[in-house]
Amino acid sequence: MSPEYYQYIFDRLLKNGALDVYITPIFMKKQRPANMLSVLCKEENLENLRKVIFEETSTFGLRQYKVDRYALDRDFKVVRTPFGDVRVKMGYLNGKFLKSHIESDDVKKIAEKTGLSVQDVLKILRQYDGT
């Protein structure tokens, strides 16, 4: 399958309930190079995501197994910056604040709008949210 369509397939999977989607380069039988598509999802989205995979990829079969997934409790705060409001994801463990992360979509939009590099935008924004 052509990698030109990966982004489209990723988008379809994410819109249909995937929590994460990624590709891993592997070797198949007879040492044929391939890419393994991995999709993390909740059980209630399995059937719909299997349908998307069969419809949109070249595969004739897939393997499915359960994994445990752990995530911090999270919420978002909005900080005011010279670029406008920016979202910051806040992570908590047992009610204790552990970390924060500036939303990458907001950083990309600012970089595109201003012509600054992503790294320069992050340096500026970190002065406003403490990350």
Side-chain angles (χ1 to χ4, degrees), residues 50-68:
R50 278 194 301 259
K51 183 177 183 286
V52 171
I53 292 168
F54 281 126
E55 288 176 348
E56 296 292 355
T57 73
S58 60
T59 194
F60 277 73
L62 56 87
R63 296 180 182 120
Q64 173 183 315
Y65 54 92
K66 291 184 180 188
V67 297
D68 294 325

Side-chain angles (χ1 to χ4, degrees), residues 23 34 47 56 73 83 86-87 118 126 131:
I23 296 282
E47 187 175 328
E56 296 292 355
D73 294 327
F83 304 115
V86 174
R87 295 170 295 162
V118 166
R126 286 186 180 125
T131 62

Side-chain angles (χ1 to χ4, degrees), residues 93-123:
L93 182 62
N94 300 322
K96 179 184 171 194
F97 171 74
L98 285 184
K99 58 184 83 181
S100 64
H101 185 75
I102 299 166
E103 275 300 295
S104 60
D105 287 344
D106 292 353
V107 174
K108 287 188 275 187
K109 285 178 188 173
I110 293 167
E112 289 170 354
K113 184 177 177 181
T114 63
L116 293 170
S117 71
V118 166
Q119 293 303 312
D120 286 341
V121 172
L122 283 169
K123 283 178 197 171

Side-chain angles (χ1 to χ4, degrees), residues 6-81:
Y6 289 171
Q7 186 62 56
Y8 171 77
I9 293 164
F10 277 36
D11 290 344
R12 286 251 359 244
L13 291 165
L14 291 165
K15 286 177 185 169
N16 281 277
L19 300 170
D20 202 358
V21 180
Y22 58 95
I23 296 282
T24 306
I26 60 172
F27 285 97
M28 302 293 286
K29 63 184 173 191
K30 301 181 184 179
Q31 297 305 302
R32 292 181 183 136
N35 289 306
M36 181 172 60
L37 173 67
S38 297
V39 180
L40 299 177
C41 68
K42 294 182 179 176
E43 244 180 292
E44 61 260 24
N45 296 321
L46 278 171
E47 187 175 328
N48 195 34
L49 291 169
R50 278 194 301 259
K51 183 177 183 286
V52 171
I53 292 168
F54 281 126
E55 288 176 348
E56 296 292 355
T57 73
S58 60
T59 194
F60 277 73
L62 56 87
R63 296 180 182 120
Q64 173 183 315
Y65 54 92
K66 291 184 180 188
V67 297
D68 294 325
R69 180 176 177 266
Y70 302 94
L72 293 175
D73 294 327
R74 59 188 82 176
D75 63 14
F76 291 87
K77 73 176 182 178
V78 176
V79 295
R80 296 199 182 265
T81 76

